[in-house]
Amino acid sequence: QKEVEQNSGPLSVPEGAIASLNCTYSDRGSQSFFWYRQYSGKSPELIMFIYSNGDKEDGRFTAQLNKASQYVSLLIRDSQPSDSATYLCAVNTDKLIFGTGTRLQVFP
Amino acid sequence: DAGVIQSPRHEVTEMGQEVTLRCKPISGHNSLFWYRQTMMRGLELLIYFNNNVPIDDSGMPEDRFSAKMPNASFSTLKIQPSEPRDSAVYFCASSLGASGGPQHFGDGTRLSIL
């Protein structure tokens, strides 16, 4: 079992819709959780982090954490074509472990 | 503010040659990380330093790889001798505090070994 799992996608959503990206992790001792966005040919860019159970909102982005079920998700409201990228989930135990990413495609 | 700075951006070299990648972390950050990204394996942590000291090098693939951090503003990742399977994008990242905080990535070095 991989330590951090994500569906590779692509996840295709129409412009204006809500995109929901999910991530599960195996280590119950994980304390901090991150979402990175990576455009093709570019470096990962931090967009959200969450430490506590529940929701954390930042603009059009909401991160959701459920430690009991060991999943973390990212919701993108009012999706735009510019949101098309690969989204990497990262989970920290004693070091940061990345998932392989979900490719999101937002079509006009 | 300047972000993490990596050099070179691209490197093409022949098998067997020595390759040195360089990184300048964000000023004030005391943790530095080297990652490798490939299509097959995704983003893998190679090594990380805290306060210039290597803390975890379990991701370094073999003895051909070595990393140093002689001071708080500079780190190198060296591959000697290089092999075609080392071809990847190598990222450096830095963070404030220990490994649990948000990490900020440099633009990466795209390495091709012929």
Side-chain angles (χ1 to χ4, degrees):
Chain A
Q1 181 187 4
K2 291 183 181 179
E3 295 180 78
V4 179
E5 295 209 44
Q6 296 181 257
N7 188 317
S8 61
L11 173 65
S12 292
V13 300
E15 184 174 357
I18 296 175
S20 177
L21 303 159
N22 300 309
C23 171
T24 58
Y25 60 94
S26 59
D27 188 338
R28 285 192 170 275
S30 301
Q31 294 295 318
S32 48
F33 308 84
F34 306 87
W35 283 100
Y36 286 81
R37 177 176 61 199
Q38 188 173 24
Y39 293 112
S40 180
K42 301 295 185 182
S43 61
E45 173 193 8
L46 180 67
I47 54 173
M48 291 285 290
F49 59 89
I50 186 167
Y51 299 144
S52 305
N53 272 332
D55 295 359
K56 179 181 178 182
E57 188 174 316
D58 184 1
R60 295 188 296 113
F61 299 99
T62 299
Q64 299 176 319
L65 175 60
N66 184 322
K67 289 186 177 181
S69 300
Q70 295 176 244
Y71 83 77
V72 56
S73 61
L74 179 70
L75 302 179
I76 306 175
R77 289 181 300 281
D78 188 24
S79 295
Q80 301 297 309
S82 59
D83 295 326
S84 299
T86 296
Y87 289 80
L88 301 169
C89 171
V91 175
N92 190 281
T93 52
D94 58 348
K95 59 186 177 184
L96 204 58
I97 306 295
F98 284 83
T100 52
T102 298
R103 189 156 63 94
L104 173 66
Q105 294 177 336
V106 181
F107 55 92
Chain B
D1 289 341
V4 176
I5 300 172
Q6 291 187 246
S7 65
R9 291 294 309 277
H10 303 274
E11 175 88 13
V12 181
T13 191
E14 291 188 346
M15 174 179 174
Q17 296 299 304
E18 178 178 291
V19 173
T20 300
L21 311 181
R22 296 172 177 80
C23 176
K24 177 180 169 55
I26 292 172
S27 179
H29 282 190
N30 60 347
S31 288
L32 182 142
F33 308 82
W34 283 102
Y35 290 89
R36 177 173 68 178
Q37 188 173 40
T38 60
M39 289 293 291
M40 291 297 295
R41 300 174 67 90
L43 198 59
E44 302 174 281
L45 177 66
L46 300 177
I47 185 170
Y48 91 86
F49 296 84
N50 183 250
N51 293 325
N52 312 339
V53 176
I55 302 300
D56 184 347
D57 66 354
S58 59
M60 295 286 262
E62 49 199 272
D63 292 346
R64 297 184 298 106
F65 286 68
S66 62
K68 294 182 180 180
M69 191 165 186
N71 57 62
S73 59
F74 184 67
S75 176
T76 59
L77 177 68
K78 188 172 293 187
I79 308 173
Q80 166 63 19
S82 57
E83 297 183 3
R85 60 192 167 118
D86 302 330
S87 298
V89 181
Y90 290 80
F91 289 107
C92 176
S94 70
S95 72
L96 186 62
S99 66
Q103 296 179 18
H104 301 270
F105 283 74
D107 289 338
T109 295
R110 185 173 295 276
L111 177 64
S112 297
I113 308 297
L114 306 178

